[in-house]
Amino acid sequence: MEGKNEQRAGLLYGIGAYVMWGLVPLFWPLLKPSGAIEILAHRMVWSLGVVTIALLAVRRWAWIGELVRDRRKLALISVAAATITVNWGLYIWAVNNGQVVEASLGYFINPLVTIAMGVLLLGERLRPVQWVAVATGLTAVLVLAIGYGRPPWISLVLAFSFATYGLIKKKVNMGGLESLAAETAVLFVPALGFLLWLAATGKSTFTAGGTGHGFLLAATGIVTAIPLICFGAAAVRVPLSTLGLLQYLAPIFQFGLGVVYFKESMPPERWAGFALVWLALSLLTWDALRTARRNRALAVKLLATAAAAPATATPTPEGAAILPRDAAILPSDAAPPGGTTTPAPDAATTTGTETPNPAQPKIT
């Protein structure tokens, strides 16, 4: 009974995290007349304050010394910080300039970009359905480019920056609060310097906009940290495949807000492009669930065979049973669809468990 309650709580935490990430386009316009770069700088500065308080509460500090001594990991953290800066800044600019729908597209196509990067950079091999999904996604981008009269560059930059960020995070392999603290620490000095420069030149809106406006700018740290904390609570309570499916909630909410609340134009060719993207994601999800079920069944069969074998059976040279290709024994649920993982949308990182890619969403 306790396990079921934990899973139920984890599901609520996960839904809460992705719904908050999905509704964040409602928050950024409240910060006008602040520009995207000023908002981004405040987000970096105040996020570090929030995660520092969180780290004080959980008393996790040992990782700092290890990170400082590991120059390679420190360099990767710096690159990750620069990459997420591009992602955050462009998303804020897109929302405050009436491009919510195109921004949401970036997180819809992110799984497809992640898969493509896995093939090109990591030498991963795709199953036939995954190839069809990637080809469908490419067709969707072409259709949207024709509809927009230009490539959907906001979507592409968001997708590629987030996929690159996910690739770096996979190599860094740090916990959620720790990684967010490290990245915002890297960004803190230039962000604070920019804010001080704005204040010195009379261009800052932090105090000029009144107490309420200053409070909203400071709240960017909470807006960044709270969904991440909820996601962390969900990641340790529910299966990866459940988180993967929940990850669709963020871009779905963003898309809905763009069409219904912000009333952005959706001509037929744009609907056609989005429909192709959704078809590609459906194919990836179906293929991932099918593969996960097959792998679990094969794992159970292999375990049963091993249990029935004589105790004197000769081990393999590696001391472990040899499993057929793609038949690795998984945890209680499916592997992330598409075979790769990405960080949670709008989060500077994940918890100790990497965020599953929903189709194998920064967000903002």
Side-chain angles (χ1 to χ4, degrees), residues 62-71 73-74 77 174 182:
W63 60 274
I64 297 178
E66 298 174 2
L67 177 61
V68 171
R69 290 189 295 270
D70 191 336
R71 293 184 178 180
K73 183 174 288 189
L74 191 58
I77 283 289
M174 288 179 63

Side-chain angles (χ1 to χ4, degrees), residues 12-364:
L12 292 176
Y13 278 125
I15 292 173
Y18 286 112
V19 168
M20 282 187 279
W21 280 321
L23 295 178
V24 77
L26 295 173
F27 178 70
W28 303 127
L30 299 178
L31 304 181
K32 293 179 178 180
S34 298
I37 298 179
E38 183 180 3
I39 295 171
L40 176 63
H42 276 286
R43 186 177 189 181
M44 295 169 181
V45 170
W46 295 107
S47 292
L48 179 60
V50 173
V51 295
T52 298
I53 294 172
L55 287 171
L56 284 171
V58 297
R59 299 180 180 180
R60 294 210 299 259
W61 299 106
W63 60 274
I64 297 178
E66 298 174 2
L67 177 61
V68 171
R69 290 189 295 270
D70 191 336
R71 293 184 178 180
R72 177 181 177 275
K73 183 174 288 189
L74 191 58
L76 288 173
I77 283 289
S78 299
V79 176
T83 306
I84 202 62
T85 297
V86 173
N87 187 274
W88 282 359
L90 179 58
Y91 188 87
I92 294 169
W93 179 89
V95 171
N96 284 354
N97 284 272
Q99 302 294 332
V100 176
V101 169
E102 188 174 347
S104 73
L105 176 64
Y107 295 102
F108 275 125
I109 67 175
N110 176 69
L112 300 170
V113 173
T114 300
I115 290 176
M117 292 180 67
V119 173
L120 297 175
L121 301 180
L122 303 179
E124 296 178 357
R125 289 190 291 176
L126 302 185
R127 294 182 291 273
V129 175
Q130 292 174 314
W131 279 115
V132 173
V134 172
T136 304
L138 179 59
T139 303
V141 171
L142 294 175
V143 170
L144 287 166
I146 295 172
Y148 279 105
R150 58 170 175 81
W153 66 269
I154 295 175
S155 305
L156 294 174
V157 173
L158 287 174
F160 275 93
S161 61
F162 205 66
T164 301
Y165 177 75
L167 179 63
I168 298 170
K169 296 304 299 173
K170 191 172 183 180
K171 295 181 179 296
V172 171
N173 192 27
M174 288 179 63
L177 283 175
E178 294 89 338
S179 184
L180 180 58
E183 291 161 16
T184 50
V186 170
L187 301 169
F188 179 81
V189 172
L192 182 60
F194 177 74
L195 293 177
L196 292 175
W197 176 81
L198 286 180
T201 56
K203 298 178 181 179
S204 173
T205 64
F206 183 62
T207 56
T211 304
H213 183 71
F215 175 79
L216 285 174
L217 285 172
T220 55
I222 299 175
V223 169
T224 299
I226 294 301
L228 176 63
I229 293 172
C230 290
F231 174 81
V236 297
R237 289 175 171 87
V238 298
L240 291 179
S241 61
T242 302
L243 282 178
L245 294 175
L246 289 178
Q247 207 167 3
Y248 285 126
L249 287 175
I252 287 174
F253 271 91
Q254 293 165 11
F255 175 80
L257 286 174
V259 175
V260 178
Y261 182 80
F262 293 104
K263 300 186 185 304
E264 295 183 17
S265 174
M266 284 293 294
E269 58 272 17
R270 197 168 299 176
W271 279 112
F274 270 88
L276 287 172
V277 170
W278 296 331
L279 174 61
L281 295 178
S282 299
L283 289 171
L284 286 181
T285 303
W286 172 78
D287 178 69
L289 295 176
R290 182 189 63 170
T291 302
R293 285 194 297 267
R294 183 183 63 201
N295 287 349
R296 285 200 302 270
L298 183 55
V300 170
K301 182 178 179 180
L302 289 171
L303 288 174
T305 302
T312 58
T314 302
T316 68
E318 297 297 328
I322 298 177
L323 303 183
R325 179 175 178 80
D326 293 331
I329 298 175
L330 300 176
S332 60
D333 217 297
T340 61
T341 56
T342 59
D346 196 35
T349 183
T350 66
T351 62
T353 303
E354 288 184 318
T355 310
N357 189 310
Q360 324 176 164
K362 101 225 86 322
I363 148 184
T364 64

